[in-house]
Amino acid sequence: MERIVYEQDGTSWAVIRLRLDDGDVATAVGDLAPVFEGERLQIDGSWVDDARFGRQFRADKSVSVRPTDEVAVERYLASGVVPGIGPEIAKRIVKIFGDRTLEVFDDTPEKLLSVRGIGRVRLHRIKERWGEQAAERGTRIFLQSLGLGPFLINKILRAWGQDSEQRVRENPYALAASGEIPGIGFRRADEIARQFPKWGSETDARARAGVLHVLDDQATHGHCFVPYERLIRVACELLGVDDEDVVRRAVGGLLDDGDLVSELLDDDEVAALSPKGSSEAEDDPTADDGHRAVYRRAFLEAERRVARRLLKIAATPAADGKLGAFSEDRAAKAVEWVEDQLGVELGSDQRNAVGVALSQKVLLFTGGPGTGKTTLIDAIVRCGLAVSARIALAAPTGRAAKRLLEATGHASMTIHRLLDYRPHDGGFGRNMASPLEADMVIVDEASMIDLFLMDALVSAVPPRAVLVLVGDADQLPPVGPGAVLRDLLVSKVLPTVRLTEIYRQARRSLIVRNAHRVNQGELPEGMEGMETWNEDVLRDFYFIGEEDADRARDIALALVSERIPARFGLNAMSDIQVVAPMHRGKAGVSRLNLTLQKRLNDVSGGRAVGDYILRPGDRVIQQRNDYDREVFNGDVGRVAEAEAQGSLTVVFDGRRVEYDQEAARHLSLAYAISIHKSQGSEYPAVVVLLLTEHYPMLQRNLLYTALTRAKKLAVLVGSRRAVRRAVTNAAPLRRCTRLARRLSEQPTLPGSSS
């Protein structure tokens, strides 16, 4: 290797200049192992022609080969590969030992004392680092032999260090089961394990890894536990084994070791989790073995803590807190006062809600669009501030938190920021030992809160404080495990106000009316004709019927780039959001993004990230929480700089964020996003695609969530059959949780739901 042109900090991605065996010089780009000048490299990959940088070799795999000739050895040592050896000392070493230099480092390092400038202290550092490097080099060669690339190898080494080879040899499935190495799932670990003779298809470790993988996979679909027999069946399918006893022994071992925990399900729970209408319903898998629910221990403990903590807060006398307990007469006067402050007359359910907020400790407010949830929050905040209460406002996403700030004028933040999340140790600064300094905690968009975030939240709320959770229970459940808001409402243990009255201004909106129609199982208004766009009167909702996915995609493209900007004066790049149920398919998010990018931002250059090339001006979405950069899952920004082999900068709400190669992997184009990703956000205009190719995802709460993202305009493009399927499919997948059961098993609190 001649020289390193560019390296991404903390990653294996690099641009290097190579001198080939025939004397020619070439550029190699890709995930390369840490490299040093003077090294010999064996690189597998392919030649590509970059529009900006010309002909390059795109590396898929590289193996370091130690240099042999004196010039290469000197450059290698001078490159900084060994602390304490710079260019001058490297020259002295090679002058003395010649082409045997590296053998001296390996076998007789004491001979280095003969080199001027190397004493005992420096020699000790050299020997220590050379040994570490030799071990790491050997580990890299070992991991490469298993088919792993530099990117994953670096992750393994960062997680396990010098123990990497030993841990993989002892149990390759630990690569997946540990959860420490993102990017390696069970199937990849299984491929690696099969390269070792001692790992047969029915080993206990393999079966255990498969069981844990099933539980982890089910958690990504929102489940906190898996019924025992379902776990056995799915794990057998994953492992490709017919002998269920293999998996049963594995589950038993995990239960004995305490990695898993089981609980008995009652008959109602078993019935709710049975696959209705299928042949499996008659011999439901939960019918045997005591109707057991199998949990990872952390999930069970989180459910128990959430239930216990909520009940403790709710049971703490209101008089112990700053707000105290308002009498009925005092609460009525507070309502009159806040109406005067707001300059509006609250509806009967809103007045009731304010009264409940001033007299209870844990409160749930739920309602659909146009029912005045935001006005209610503002009213409660004003009442709290009037008695000098310390109020904490939060929401799951940055966008939702920003809307709270705009609605109330009171400081608001994400739940993670409120709780002082510590990314490097995975914990929160605010907890039971260091609770929030607040008399009232109000959280909006509570339907998005998963089990573990709720666990962290309620642990940080002091018992004397009031906790108010506001959300729309009819929206999609959280992306993470659990269905917290639904479970809290179902339990009927905590005081709840359901906002049902749609206020006059909202009733004039077709978006609001149609969202409620969908929620009630009725088709949206405006679907009588195939094309309503050319009506003389401007509306805020349109339906454009189209059965063909390719043509529907073309219609969405025309709407975003031409028709909506021309008719409504909205900006195509910033005001219009396309949403769809799925990433795959002709009208999936991935294809839509490529099509929209080409039409809206077809500029040269850019940085290759995943399936996309990100270019300056592109709208992008963060796909995973990045606490170091303070950008979170679902945050949408605009690319400011995107160099193929340099910087990548994204602007989020006016704040510039720099990305290295590894962090950039969690960015995607956001001209189109999934409906799930749109939760917690609102946009001036939303174009919703709903087609029969989206059939597996078509549910009422999905369409309802999509429509309620639009503030000024919603355009529904797609198949009548798909819309009808979504509207009539009111039974989303039942998530396996027991939080509601844990709450309802406790005595009913005063003021709770009936």
Side-chain angles (χ1 to χ4, degrees), residues 100-411:
R100 294 181 53 254
T101 294
L102 298 187
E103 293 178 20
V104 171
F105 274 80
D106 290 335
D107 304 325
T108 54
E110 297 292 330
K111 291 183 178 179
L112 294 173
L113 291 171
S114 64
V115 179
R116 183 165 53 88
I118 297 181
R120 291 286 179 183
V121 174
R122 178 170 287 183
L123 176 63
H124 177 74
R125 291 203 304 268
I126 291 172
K127 288 168 64 176
E128 188 175 58
R129 178 55 187 147
W130 189 257
E132 291 173 355
Q133 190 189 71
E136 181 177 316
R137 184 189 302 274
T139 301
R140 286 185 177 276
I141 292 171
F142 165 72
L143 294 174
Q144 287 173 339
S145 72
L146 301 177
L148 293 166
F151 182 69
L152 287 177
I153 290 173
N154 282 350
K155 285 189 175 183
I156 295 169
L157 289 170
R158 282 198 295 271
W160 293 347
Q162 295 181 357
D163 298 331
S164 297
E165 181 172 350
Q166 181 182 348
R167 293 186 65 171
V168 172
R169 288 186 181 278
E170 287 178 352
N171 183 6
Y173 294 101
L175 290 165
S178 70
E180 299 174 280
I181 306 166
I184 299 184
F186 176 81
R187 297 189 186 283
R188 187 67 183 276
D190 200 32
E191 292 173 1
I192 294 169
R194 292 177 183 277
Q195 300 180 52
F196 297 90
K198 76 172 186 177
W199 294 98
S201 61
E202 298 185 1
T203 61
D204 182 62
R206 180 172 187 262
R208 289 189 179 206
V211 168
L212 294 175
H213 175 81
V214 171
L215 287 163
D216 291 342
D217 181 65
Q218 290 293 296
T220 67
H221 293 87
H223 301 298
C224 296
F225 70 84
V226 179
Y228 177 83
E229 291 290 344
R230 185 188 302 173
L231 176 62
I232 300 299
R233 185 177 64 253
V234 176
C236 284
E237 293 171 357
L238 174 70
L239 295 164
V241 299
D242 297 324
D243 186 1
E244 290 188 352
D245 287 341
V246 173
V247 178
R248 294 183 190 276
R249 285 196 300 271
V251 174
L254 289 165
L255 289 167
D256 291 340
D257 293 346
D259 298 311
L260 304 182
V261 187
S262 70
E263 287 187 328
L264 290 177
L265 297 166
D266 63 31
D267 291 341
D268 290 342
E269 290 176 299
V270 172
L273 295 171
S274 298
K276 303 289 192 300
S278 74
S279 59
E280 295 180 8
E282 297 167 4
D283 58 344
D284 184 295
T286 61
D288 298 328
D289 213 350
H291 306 326
R292 282 200 285 166
V294 182
Y295 283 86
R296 271 193 179 263
R297 179 172 291 278
F299 288 77
L300 178 70
E301 292 177 347
E303 279 193 350
R304 288 174 173 173
R305 282 194 300 269
V306 168
R308 186 168 59 245
R309 189 68 179 173
L310 281 171
L311 293 171
K312 181 178 181 179
I313 297 170
T316 301
D320 291 356
K322 175 78 174 182
L323 292 169
F326 278 53
S327 65
E328 186 175 337
D329 182 61
R330 189 184 176 195
K333 290 180 178 178
V335 170
E336 293 177 2
W337 175 85
V338 83
E339 286 181 325
D340 184 63
Q341 291 291 306
L342 293 170
V344 299
E345 182 179 348
L346 298 176
S348 59
D349 51 0
Q350 289 178 316
R351 293 172 65 90
N352 177 47
V354 174
V356 174
L358 298 176
S359 61
Q360 301 294 329
K361 292 296 304 302
V362 179
L363 326 162
L364 310 176
F365 297 138
T366 182
T371 58
K373 295 192 298 295
T374 302
T375 301
L376 177 60
I377 293 173
D378 192 15
I380 295 171
V381 168
R382 289 172 183 257
C383 288
L385 294 175
V387 295
S388 301
R390 298 168 299 176
I391 297 177
L393 279 181
T397 68
R399 286 189 165 228
K402 186 178 179 181
R403 290 206 313 274
L404 274 181
L405 169 63
E406 294 168 348
T408 65
H410 190 75

Side-chain angles (χ1 to χ4, degrees), residues 84-104:
I85 298 180
E88 185 59 36
I89 290 182
K91 183 181 293 185
R92 296 173 195 168
I93 293 172
V94 174
K95 186 176 181 179
I96 295 173
F97 300 109
D99 59 9
R100 294 181 53 254
T101 294
L102 298 187
E103 293 178 20
V104 171

Side-chain angles (χ1 to χ4, degrees), residues 483-730:
V484 174
L485 182 61
R486 185 210 69 182
D487 286 346
L488 299 186
L489 295 169
V490 168
S491 74
K492 298 184 179 182
V493 169
L494 301 169
T496 299
V497 175
R498 297 180 183 271
L499 304 174
T500 58
E501 183 179 350
I502 304 174
Y503 292 92
R504 185 170 60 187
Q505 184 175 355
R507 284 198 299 270
R508 292 197 292 266
S509 167
L510 268 177
I511 297 173
V512 172
R513 295 211 305 271
N514 281 334
H516 285 278
R517 284 178 64 89
V518 167
N519 205 31
Q520 294 162 10
E522 301 174 10
L523 290 174
E525 296 179 33
M527 290 188 60
E528 296 80 9
M530 292 295 289
E531 170 68 79
T532 59
W533 189 261
N534 294 320
E535 294 182 357
D536 294 333
V537 179
L538 288 179
R539 309 167 63 180
D540 65 356
F541 174 86
Y542 297 90
F543 171 72
I544 301 176
E546 178 54 67
E547 298 288 334
D548 182 78
D550 287 319
R551 288 196 293 269
R553 191 179 66 248
D554 291 342
I555 290 170
L557 179 64
L559 285 167
V560 175
S561 62
E562 302 168 9
R563 297 166 72 175
I564 292 176
R567 186 157 187 169
F568 294 90
L570 297 175
N571 186 291
M573 292 290 283
S574 59
D575 296 334
I576 309 170
Q577 182 63 61
V578 178
V579 298
M582 300 169 63
H583 284 269
R584 301 185 302 275
K586 295 179 179 179
V589 168
S590 298
R591 289 282 295 275
L592 285 163
N593 267 317
L594 292 171
T595 304
L596 287 162
Q597 183 193 41
K598 185 171 179 62
R599 177 66 65 88
L600 300 176
N601 195 37
D602 191 17
V603 298
S604 60
R607 164 78 65 81
V609 177
D611 297 331
Y612 304 116
I613 296 176
L614 304 186
R615 302 183 175 108
D618 277 334
R619 185 195 298 173
V620 292
I621 186 169
Q622 180 76 20
Q623 299 284 12
R624 184 178 296 180
N625 290 338
D626 186 333
Y627 299 100
D628 290 330
R629 292 170 176 79
E630 296 188 350
V631 288
F632 303 97
N633 191 355
D635 285 354
V636 175
R638 187 69 59 83
V639 176
E641 300 173 9
E643 300 177 4
Q645 299 170 3
S647 63
L648 176 65
T649 306
V650 181
V651 178
F652 295 92
D653 291 327
R655 187 171 67 89
R656 295 172 66 89
V657 178
E658 301 288 335
Y659 281 82
D660 58 30
Q661 186 71 13
E662 184 171 3
R665 295 171 183 270
H666 305 309
L667 289 172
S668 296
L669 289 176
Y671 298 102
I673 61 176
S674 71
I675 296 172
H676 283 82
K677 282 290 185 184
S678 73
Q679 289 184 93
S681 298
E682 288 183 343
Y683 312 92
V686 173
V687 177
V688 185
L689 273 80
L690 220 64
L691 294 144
T692 52
E693 73 170 32
H694 302 138
Y695 188 86
M697 301 289 292
L698 297 179
Q699 294 174 344
R700 184 180 297 175
N701 59 0
L702 186 90
L703 177 55
Y704 175 79
T705 300
L707 293 179
T708 55
R709 301 308 92 202
K711 293 193 292 186
K712 298 179 180 179
L713 175 66
V715 185
L716 179 56
V717 180
S719 158
R720 292 175 177 278
R721 287 192 301 158
V723 176
R724 189 172 292 108
R725 162 68 181 176
V727 169
T728 56
N729 185 17

